[in-house]
Amino acid sequence: MTHRVGYAPGVYDLFHVGHLNILRHARSRCDYLVAGVVSDEMARQAKGRSPVVPLTERLEIVRSIRFVDAAFVETVPDKLETWRQVRFDVIFKGDDWRGTEKGERLERDFAGVGVEVVYFPYTVHTSSTLLRRALDGLVESA
């Protein structure tokens, strides 16, 4: 019997239903789910800004989700390096990555080590970016 380990990376800032949906769907496609919580420094590098919620709190939130078997702090930009540390069989990403340069690079890199890339629908109506904009708007109008 094959034991399939899944990996669902994300910043998981301002945790919302889109995050929950990714973790729920990911868990249904593997036997053991590791959620990769991107460090504050890595989030700054990738998105150009720090998360609103500190890493320790984001990690605690994600660890508490019943679909998550383990949480891992992602501290390097190279997903293959993360794979060397975690050893997953499938990685889950939002479909906003599909067909992009970074998505195609991810698929090429992981094809070389036998890891499947699975895309899930991106939650368009709710995102941490939209929530952050709303919060910024509240602060500006206060």
Side-chain angles (χ1 to χ4, degrees), residues 4-100:
R4 189 166 149 108
V5 176
Y7 186 71
V11 178
Y12 299 109
D13 194 23
L14 301 172
F15 196 89
H16 56 77
V17 73
H19 296 137
L20 185 62
N21 286 339
I22 285 175
L23 295 171
R24 176 187 297 120
H25 294 308
R27 185 60 176 85
S28 74
R29 302 280 301 266
C30 62
D31 300 304
Y32 188 86
L33 179 62
V34 178
V37 181
V38 175
S39 71
D40 293 345
E41 181 181 330
M42 290 304 308
R44 274 190 297 278
Q45 283 181 18
K47 298 187 180 247
R49 63 184 182 276
S50 297
V52 173
V53 179
L55 175 62
T56 55
E57 293 178 21
R58 291 182 288 120
L59 195 57
E60 184 62 28
I61 290 165
V62 170
R63 277 188 178 135
S64 298
I65 304 299
R66 69 183 166 119
F67 308 112
V68 174
D69 295 297
F72 174 82
V73 177
E74 210 174 280
T75 59
V76 294
D78 182 357
K79 295 287 189 241
L80 275 178
E81 181 57 36
T82 299
W83 172 79
R84 287 180 191 96
Q85 296 172 29
V86 178
R87 293 297 178 161
F88 45 87
D89 304 298
V90 57
I91 186 170
F92 303 102
K93 294 298 291 177
D95 65 2
D96 55 319
W97 277 54
R98 186 191 308 267
T100 66

Side-chain angles (χ1 to χ4, degrees), residues 9 16 31 37-38 43 54 60 73 89-90 94 105 110 114 116 126-127 130 138-140:
H16 56 77
D31 300 304
V37 181
V38 175
E60 184 62 28
V73 177
D89 304 298
V90 57
R105 184 174 53 248
F110 280 124
E116 180 184 8
T126 304
S127 74
L130 291 174
L138 290 173
V139 170
E140 289 170 8

